[in-house]
Amino acid sequence: MNRQEHELRLKRRFGIGHFYDEQWEAVQRILNGERILMIQRTGFGKSLCYQYPATQFTGMTVIFSPLIALMRDQVKSLNQKGISAKFINSEQTPEENSQTIQEALEGKVKILYIAPERQENQEWIEATRKMNLSMVVIDEAHTISVWGHDFRPAFRRIINLVKLLPQHLPVLATTATATKRVQRDIENQIGGNLTTIRGNLCRPNFGLYVIRVHTEDEKMIWLAQNLNQIDGTGLVYTGTRVNTEIYAKWLKYTGINAIDYNAGLDGDTRKEVENALMANKYKCIVSTNALGMGIDKSDIRFVIHTQMPASPIHYYQEIGRAGRDGKPTTIILFYNESTDNDGIEEDYKLPKSFIEGGRPDMKYYLRVIEKLKEEPLGERNLMKSCNLKQTQIRVIKADLIDQGIIKEVSYGKNKLYEYQYGAKPLDTKPFADLRNAKLKDLEAMRDYVYTTKPRMQYLCDFLDNESDEPYSNCDNTNLKPLRIVVTTPWREKMSEFRETYFPVLEVESRNSKIVNGVAASYYGVSNVGNALHRSKYENGGDFPDFLLRLTLKAFRKAFGNQRFDLVLYVPPTHSGDLVKNFAVKFASVIKVPISHKLLKTRDTQEQKVFQNGYSKKDNVADAFDYSFPSEILGKRIILMDDIFDSGATIKEIGKMLTHYGAEMIAPITIAKTVGGDLT
């Protein structure tokens, strides 16, 4: 068939009248059984380049995608068009995923979306050998390149499948962001007779601004002053999960309709927020970069970053989620250029710390190797025996598998990792090379802040985009720069917010009478954190009275209308009577009796020395008791501590008090740690 005949089919099935020339080039090559790498900007219509050919093939098309939201949206849309589409990912139960695999084997699925991590699933691996495959698609293909901005080691296993495919079976890899270096890496990995189609990445409808500030409060105040003046609805990106909550609460406090989103929310809540974004229910969603990828919404009118991303590639991809309808769109980057004692700019520090911590220290690699020399271990036992976080263990084991130092083995239903005797020593040069490359990219992102070039030109040059298109529409060309003006009333409003916004301590569980508690502040708020540190680690004496006043405010806001019978406090590990003295003052003010009978039954270490939840939980398991259990029966209890981190200690004490018949346990702490979760 010629192009005109295919476009008639396109119209009937998808309701779209014609292909762009570059779309048709890709579709034609795919129908001819070729391999394609397509590098096109967000909103170009890359998905049509695999969805349409999939409907023309006799077999099934498998699409590897890391984007659950994209899977959900595209499967729904395809099914509405009468095309049999399914997905396999972590949102479904194992039984649902198994059922989908069975339907695929029976030829009942035309298009199957699957998370790349499933390449580690034995059921999937065995099923692929029996499937009638017509095409394989690698969406977000930069994730298979070590030089890509979102490289994920597990995704490279997709290439293992690609290498087993017949040369005439079409393969399409798509991405909106790839430098020439990433492009060459993807080309080498996919191999075969591959054609690269690279489009123009310029986004002329974007108005690009940078606002340089000297405090976090200035960012928050500018948003409160100006967000409602920007047309439409959009996204405000923050650097950490905690900041999504803080910024959203602040915006709501100032009358702006906002809600927070991050990967730490449960699946149902994330879906609700995604649906609210689609329906323009909120002026803005305050999110980590977990939101936006795969969301099929063309009219996001603004994207604002409160924290500098790690590279111009990250930035281009994240702002690329907006303005896909071609209409004017506002893009703003805040940059806090105040410096610390070492002269390092504040907004440079967070992404730099994540780059430097992206690969664990080499001593941790050696620790894992030594443990696996002793015996094969699963992921959880590796975390506990090596005292490492899950993300650290996953990076380490992926690297060690890549270098042939360990391998994955199955013992019954258990997946273990086994040391390969005779393996070559660990080669750390690739890690150092990658770290240096990422630091270079971060420096390039900082240069974007201070460049005098047209900002879109700067981004396109970094992405090796070849175009003679004129670049304008930024605060370096024809747009008036944006400035921050902080008045006394706004400073007072910010101060009021700080004293009325109290973090929730999420500890509720089905088998305990403990309820979600409250902290007076985040530890990261400077005056609170500094005061706690002085008292705990610098012999600064009892916690100061301003912390007591703030904690009382938090308590009254959360539990002011409730009756309590008893105040207890967490026994210390190393900080002496600090928490005890604070709890005595607190109990005296609220006029509730305090008990000193909550005891430690064995020595524990400070929770901060442990890197994962399993070890924190083990550290305090069965470590507490109450010397007169009958006093607890039917009581409503306030449980006090100074700092809330993982919550393992509070939960353990709550479990013990529940066993002794407590009616309710409400935890109250001075501060909650900020944590470092990015997504």
Side-chain angles (χ1 to χ4, degrees):
M1 287 193 299
N2 60 28
R3 177 172 178 172
Q4 187 176 10
E5 290 170 318
H6 277 294
E7 287 183 338
L8 286 172
R9 291 192 175 191
L10 178 71
K11 178 68 175 176
R12 284 197 299 269
R13 182 54 70 94
F14 290 88
I16 297 170
H18 61 86
F19 295 108
Y20 302 134
D21 289 345
E22 287 167 303
Q23 284 179 322
W24 172 245
E25 180 189 355
V27 168
Q28 194 174 32
R29 288 179 178 277
I30 289 166
L31 292 172
N32 288 335
E34 297 181 32
R35 295 185 172 189
I36 305 292
L37 168 59
M38 175 179 280
I39 304 167
Q40 294 281 8
R41 61 179 174 79
T42 303
F44 167 81
K46 295 186 288 295
S47 60
L48 193 65
C49 295
Y50 54 77
Q51 288 179 350
Y52 174 76
T55 65
Q56 305 305 297
F57 292 133
T58 56
M60 183 178 71
T61 292
V62 171
I63 300 159
F64 290 100
S65 173
L67 310 177
I68 290 177
L70 176 137
M71 294 187 193
R72 199 186 312 123
D73 288 351
Q74 293 199 0
V75 165
K76 180 180 178 182
S77 175
L78 288 165
N79 288 337
Q80 287 171 346
K81 294 178 175 69
I83 301 165
S84 175
K86 295 267 187 176
F87 59 71
I88 296 173
N89 62 38
S90 59
E91 276 194 349
Q92 296 191 144
T93 64
E95 292 75 20
E96 288 171 328
N97 284 330
S98 293
Q99 177 63 30
T100 300
I101 289 175
Q102 187 58 40
E103 289 176 16
L105 287 168
E106 293 170 1
K108 297 177 180 178
V109 180
K110 177 59 70 174
I111 298 177
L112 178 63
Y113 290 81
I114 184 163
E117 288 88 351
R118 299 293 297 187
Q119 285 291 97
E120 300 178 355
N121 179 273
Q122 196 61 37
E123 182 184 13
W124 165 255
I125 293 168
E126 291 174 5
T128 55
R129 300 189 181 113
K130 305 171 188 173
M131 288 177 178
N132 179 21
L133 291 179
S134 286
M135 176 168 59
V136 169
V137 178
I138 308 168
D139 196 26
E140 305 297 327
H142 52 269
T143 54
I144 67 172
S145 170
V146 70
W147 306 108
H149 65 279
D150 193 22
F151 170 63
R152 306 187 194 185
F155 289 19
R156 285 204 288 198
R157 299 191 184 195
I158 300 168
I159 300 301
N160 295 339
L161 172 61
V162 169
K163 287 178 178 176
L164 296 174
L165 298 174
Q167 279 297 310
H168 66 274
L169 193 143
V171 175
L172 173 64
T174 72
T175 178
T177 44
T179 62
K180 290 290 178 65
R181 185 179 199 177
V182 172
Q183 175 184 323
R184 288 191 295 270
D185 190 15
I186 297 171
E187 290 168 344
N188 290 336
Q189 289 195 59
I190 294 175
N193 182 25
L194 183 139
T195 299
T196 296
I197 301 173
R198 179 183 267 274
N200 182 11
L201 302 181
C202 181
R203 302 292 297 275
N205 61 314
F206 281 5
L208 294 157
Y209 301 87
V210 171
I211 304 176
R212 284 143 61 181
V213 301
H214 291 90
T215 66
E216 289 301 300
D217 285 1
E218 287 181 0
K219 299 176 186 178
M220 298 172 77
I221 289 170
W222 190 94
L223 289 171
Q225 290 172 333
N226 295 282
L227 207 52
N228 276 336
Q229 313 309 313
I230 302 175
D231 289 340
T233 60
L235 305 174
V236 174
Y237 285 123
T238 65
T240 63
R241 291 181 184 180
V242 163
N243 273 337
T244 66
E245 180 187 329
I246 293 173
Y247 271 82
K249 289 285 198 304
W250 159 250
L251 292 174
K252 282 190 276 191
Y253 183 78
T254 59
I256 294 172
N257 193 14
I259 193 170
D260 58 307
Y261 179 104
N262 60 63
L265 301 174
D266 64 85
D268 289 341
T269 302
R270 291 201 305 272
K271 286 180 194 175
E272 284 177 20
V273 178
E274 289 165 14
N275 290 336
L277 171 66
M278 300 299 292
N280 294 321
K281 184 178 176 182
Y282 295 96
K283 179 65 181 179
C284 71
I285 312 295
V286 184
S287 177
T288 58
N289 60 15
L291 181 67
M293 290 286 285
I295 297 288
D296 187 16
K297 182 174 174 62
S298 63
D299 63 342
I300 293 174
R301 289 274 68 87
F302 60 85
V303 169
I304 300 172
H305 282 75
T306 66
Q307 170 64 53
M308 183 177 75
S311 77
I313 308 176
H314 284 89
Y315 190 55
Y316 178 86
Q317 185 179 54
E318 289 164 20
I319 64 176
R321 299 162 189 179
R324 287 160 47 183
D325 56 7
K327 295 179 181 178
T329 300
T330 300
I331 306 295
I332 297 171
L333 170 65
F334 284 103
Y335 187 70
N336 184 350
E337 60 184 358
S338 63
T339 57
D340 62 14
N341 293 334
D342 297 320
I344 301 173
E345 293 165 344
E346 287 298 324
D347 273 359
Y348 187 83
K349 289 196 293 189
L350 182 66
K352 184 172 187 285
S353 70
F354 279 109
I355 288 171
E356 292 182 334
R359 273 255 174 359
D361 190 285
M362 288 307 108
K363 67 183 178 184
Y364 299 138
Y365 281 81
L366 299 177
R367 186 183 299 175
V368 169
I369 290 170
E370 289 307 311
K371 291 293 180 183
L372 293 181
K373 280 182 177 179
E374 295 172 10
E375 60 176 329
L377 293 170
E379 184 177 279
R380 180 180 296 193
N381 285 330
L382 270 175
M383 288 169 63
K384 291 169 71 170
S385 63
C386 298
N387 188 23
L388 293 173
K389 297 176 183 177
Q390 185 180 63
T391 51
Q392 292 174 312
I393 285 291
R394 288 185 173 176
V395 169
I396 290 171
K397 73 183 187 186
D399 287 335
L400 295 180
I401 288 171
D402 269 358
Q403 294 195 23
I405 296 171
I406 67 172
K407 74 173 182 179
E408 185 181 295
V409 293
S410 294
Y411 282 73
K413 293 184 178 180
N414 297 321
K415 187 194 298 180
L416 305 182
Y417 300 92
E418 186 175 79
Y419 177 72
Q420 299 298 285
Y421 285 93
K424 292 180 180 178
L426 179 66
D427 180 7
T428 61
K429 185 178 182 299
F431 308 157
D433 290 346
L434 184 59
R435 175 183 175 277
N436 291 335
K438 288 189 172 185
L439 289 173
K440 187 177 177 182
D441 285 355
L442 177 60
E443 193 61 40
M445 189 64 224
R446 182 184 175 278
D447 289 345
Y448 171 84
V449 171
Y450 293 102
T451 187
T452 57
K453 290 170 63 173
R455 296 195 185 278
M456 183 54 69
Q457 181 182 353
Y458 183 95
L459 295 174
C460 287
D461 287 350
F462 189 87
L463 285 159
D464 298 319
N465 183 63
E466 296 172 2
S467 171
D468 55 5
E469 189 168 339
Y471 296 93
S472 58
N473 283 7
C474 75
D475 52 7
N476 285 339
T477 54
N478 62 331
L479 299 180
K480 184 180 178 181
L482 301 177
R483 301 281 184 250
I484 174 71
V485 178
V486 180
T487 60
T488 299
W490 276 105
R491 291 192 190 281
E492 290 172 352
K493 197 171 189 71
M494 176 60 71
S495 180
E496 289 166 8
F497 168 72
R498 295 285 190 201
E499 294 196 4
T500 55
Y501 162 58
F502 305 113
V504 174
L505 309 179
E506 296 183 356
V507 292
E508 287 182 2
S509 65
R510 205 176 308 167
N511 301 317
S512 176
K513 292 292 186 178
I514 198 164
V515 299
N516 287 344
V518 67
S521 178
Y522 277 108
Y523 189 82
V525 176
S526 59
N527 62 335
V528 173
N530 291 341
L532 285 167
H533 194 274
R534 276 195 302 273
S535 295
K536 285 174 71 77
Y537 305 112
E538 299 173 11
N539 298 316
D542 282 350
F543 296 131
D545 287 345
F546 89 88
L547 292 180
L548 178 62
R549 289 193 295 272
L550 200 58
T551 306
L552 286 163
K553 269 191 177 183
F555 167 74
R556 286 167 180 148
K557 185 171 182 180
F559 300 106
N561 297 325
Q562 301 198 37
R563 170 187 62 81
F564 288 96
D565 304 305
L566 205 58
V567 173
L568 304 182
Y569 54 90
V570 176
T573 302
H574 292 300
S575 56
D577 290 336
L578 285 173
V579 176
K580 172 186 174 182
N581 295 343
F582 190 84
V584 167
K585 293 176 187 176
F586 183 92
S588 173
V589 174
I590 65 171
K591 296 181 169 52
V592 173
I594 188 167
S595 168
H596 304 285
K597 297 169 187 170
L598 177 58
L599 309 170
K600 243 185 196 175
T601 57
R602 62 176 178 81
D603 288 338
T604 61
Q605 297 184 62
E606 287 189 283
Q607 290 286 60
K608 67 181 182 180
V609 306
F610 297 103
Q611 297 298 308
N612 61 76
Y614 301 124
S615 299
K616 289 176 188 283
K617 188 175 179 180
D618 288 350
N619 182 47
V620 295
D622 300 320
F624 302 95
D625 204 354
Y626 195 83
S627 56
F628 289 92
S630 59
E631 289 184 2
I632 298 301
L633 184 64
K635 293 295 193 297
R636 297 171 62 85
I637 296 168
I638 296 168
L639 178 60
M640 299 207 69
D641 204 358
D642 51 359
I643 300 171
F644 180 96
D645 182 23
S646 69
T649 300
I650 293 282
K651 290 175 188 175
E652 180 66 24
I653 295 172
K655 186 175 75 173
M656 179 268 295
L657 295 173
T658 298
H659 174 71
Y660 287 144
E663 181 183 325
M664 170 186 168
I665 306 109
I668 312 291
T669 67
I670 301 171
K672 179 181 179 181
T673 56
V674 171
D677 292 309
L678 274 172
T679 57

